[in-house]
């Protein structure tokens, strides 16, 4: 073989080698970033995290669930039990008083309840009055009650109580009263439906579910990579694949924040090969007390994760969110909190959690 042929062969080999190396480098560069195996990744869901549906269209009155904007900081290690007392409230429920001649056992009252605790799309509840304590409470076996009250929720994110639902409430309450030997006094249907519509109007204007979208600048992320970075900020796996939550300080309450990405990527046969280019951080504003500083933690989480994961924080339309925009969102939320407080529906209260559900 001549010198020229040897030279051409060598050049060809070098070219092929260079192409192979370049392709390998390109493939490695664009492969999903993987979690550091030296760090522990939380994988098991936690039972104390309640996951609400997140959204951010105040004008939609909860008819649709669509995320808006997020961040986080502190985590909580002490978890206490939520309040288990009765929750019926004339502010957000239509109530019916049930009188009985003789005390009724909790077991008998429970047996008299309808098979479903819903009236249309609204929550139906019955509570008993304990004469010894002078308190209303959720019906409990072994107790004796000297009176009852039934209630149907006026409004939720599906809409306001209507005439048909109120009529169903009357039927179910009367059946319960007959079963426990009581007499029932109902409020006026027209008044309650009118009150429900007014409350629904308020709720539709003051509902907010924020969601920030974090987008990868260059290399995509694997599910494990997202889990690992989010876990460092206190997020734990949620009840469905592709979802993580930041638990509230009180066990049983909705999480402060949620993180979600493509469920199919999380359930892939080999998740390490799933390429995720964005995920959402979300805050359901009325569900979380302002004392938890949820927006500050949402903003902090978004900025921290974007910096650590080489991403950018955007809104749902893909527009990058500036510091000034984030400040304005925070200021607007403070006004919303004040409006909820003034209506005695403070964010995170049991009434607000029921109303905005």
């Amino acid at each position: 073989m001549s010198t020229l042929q040897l030279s051409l062969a060598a050049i060809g080999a070098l070219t092929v080698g260079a192409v192979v190396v370049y392709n390998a480098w390109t493939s490695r560069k664009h492969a999903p970033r993987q979690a550091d195996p030296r760090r522990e990744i939380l994988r098991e869901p936690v039972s104390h995290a309640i996951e609400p549906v997140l959204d951010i269209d105040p004008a939609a009155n909860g008819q649709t669930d669509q995320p808006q904007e997020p961040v986080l900081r502190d985590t909580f290690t002490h978890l206490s039990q939520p309040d288990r007392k009765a929750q019926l409230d004339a502010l957000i429920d239509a109530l019916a008083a049930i009188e009985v001649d003789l005390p009724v056992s909790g077991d008998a009252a429970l047996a008299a309840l309808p098979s479903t605790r819903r009236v249309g799309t609204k929550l139906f509840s019955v509570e008993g009055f304990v004469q010894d304590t002078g308190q209303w409470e959720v019906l409990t076996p072994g107790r004796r009650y000297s009176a009852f009250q039934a209630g149907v929720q006026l409004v939720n994110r599906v809409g306001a109580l209507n005439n048909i639902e109120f009529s169903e409430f009357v039927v179910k309450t009367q059946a319960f009263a007959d079963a426990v030997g009581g007499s029932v006094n109902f409020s006026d249907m027209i008044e309650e439906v009118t009150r429900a519509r007014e409350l629904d109007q308020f709720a539709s204007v003051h509902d907010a579910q924020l969601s920030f979208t974090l987008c990868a600048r260059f290399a995509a992320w694997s599910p494990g990579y997202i889990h690992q970075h989010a876990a460092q900020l206190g997020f734990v796996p949620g009840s469905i694949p592709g979802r993580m939550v930041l638990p509230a300080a009180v066990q049983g309450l909705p999480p402060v924040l949620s993180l979600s990405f493509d469920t199919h990527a999380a359930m892939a046969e080999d998740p390490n090969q799933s390429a995720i280019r964005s995920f959402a951080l979300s805050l359901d504003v009325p569900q979380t007390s302002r004392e938890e500083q949820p927006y500050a933690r949402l903003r902090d989480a978004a900025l921290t994760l974007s910096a650590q994961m080489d991403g950018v924080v955007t809104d749902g339309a893909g527009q990058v969110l500036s510091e000034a925009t984030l400040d304005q969102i925070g200021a607007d939320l403070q006004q919303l909190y004040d409006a909820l407080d003034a209506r005695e529906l403070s964010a995170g209260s049991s009434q607000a959690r029921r109303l905005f559900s």
Side-chain angles (χ1 to χ4, degrees), residues 5-22:
Q5 290 175 318
L6 290 174
S7 299
L8 291 175
I11 292 173
L14 289 173
T15 300
V16 172
V19 170
V20 171
V21 171
Y22 175 78

Side-chain angles (χ1 to χ4, degrees), residues 44-199:
E44 296 300 323
V46 290
S47 59
H48 63 262
I50 300 175
E51 299 187 37
V53 178
L54 296 171
D55 207 333
I56 181 173
D57 184 1
N61 183 33
Q63 298 293 336
T64 58
D65 288 320
Q66 296 168 350
Q68 271 182 304
E69 281 103 270
V71 175
L72 78 89
R73 193 161 262 158
D74 301 320
T75 58
F76 294 84
T77 54
H78 174 67
L79 297 174
S80 57
Q81 293 294 328
D83 190 354
R84 299 295 185 183
K85 294 181 180 179
Q87 293 186 337
L88 282 176
D89 191 320
L91 185 65
I92 61 172
D93 295 296
L95 301 178
I98 302 171
E99 298 180 355
V100 291
D101 294 330
L102 298 173
V104 178
S105 69
D107 300 83
L110 286 168
L113 288 174
S115 57
T116 174
R117 307 300 164 81
R118 288 278 169 181
V119 169
T121 61
K122 309 301 184 296
L123 180 66
F124 170 80
S125 303
V126 176
E127 296 174 350
F129 184 77
V130 182
Q131 191 166 14
D132 292 342
T133 64
Q135 299 290 328
W136 293 98
E137 69 174 27
V138 175
L139 300 182
T140 305
R143 307 285 287 208
R144 296 189 68 79
Y145 300 108
S146 57
F148 299 92
Q149 63 178 1
V152 59
Q153 192 165 318
L154 292 171
V155 175
N156 58 21
R157 279 178 170 154
V158 176
L161 182 75
N162 57 42
N163 292 355
I164 295 176
E165 289 173 326
F166 188 89
S167 298
E168 185 180 346
F169 165 63
V170 170
V171 171
K172 286 192 173 184
T173 302
Q174 187 63 61
F176 173 83
D178 292 342
V180 298
S183 59
V184 57
N185 181 32
F186 293 101
S187 54
D188 182 75
M189 180 179 72
I190 300 300
E191 291 181 1
E192 294 293 4
V193 170
T194 300
R195 192 161 68 97
R197 289 172 180 167
E198 189 276 330
L199 181 59

Side-chain angles (χ1 to χ4, degrees), residues 252-320:
L253 294 185
V256 178
L257 303 174
S258 69
L259 181 158
S260 58
F261 56 88
D262 184 16
T263 301
H264 295 294
M267 298 178 65
E269 186 174 343
D270 184 0
N272 289 332
Q273 298 304 312
S274 296
I276 301 169
R277 300 207 60 84
S278 66
F279 62 86
L281 283 171
S282 304
L283 161 63
D284 193 332
V285 177
Q287 292 284 330
T288 309
S289 170
R290 71 195 302 181
E291 282 70 32
E292 294 261 23
Q293 298 186 331
Y295 179 70
R297 297 164 73 184
L298 172 66
R299 176 175 178 167
D300 184 42
L303 296 178
T304 298
L305 290 173
S306 64
Q308 293 178 347
M309 302 172 65
D310 193 18
V312 62
V313 182
T314 72
D315 61 15
Q319 297 295 316
V320 176

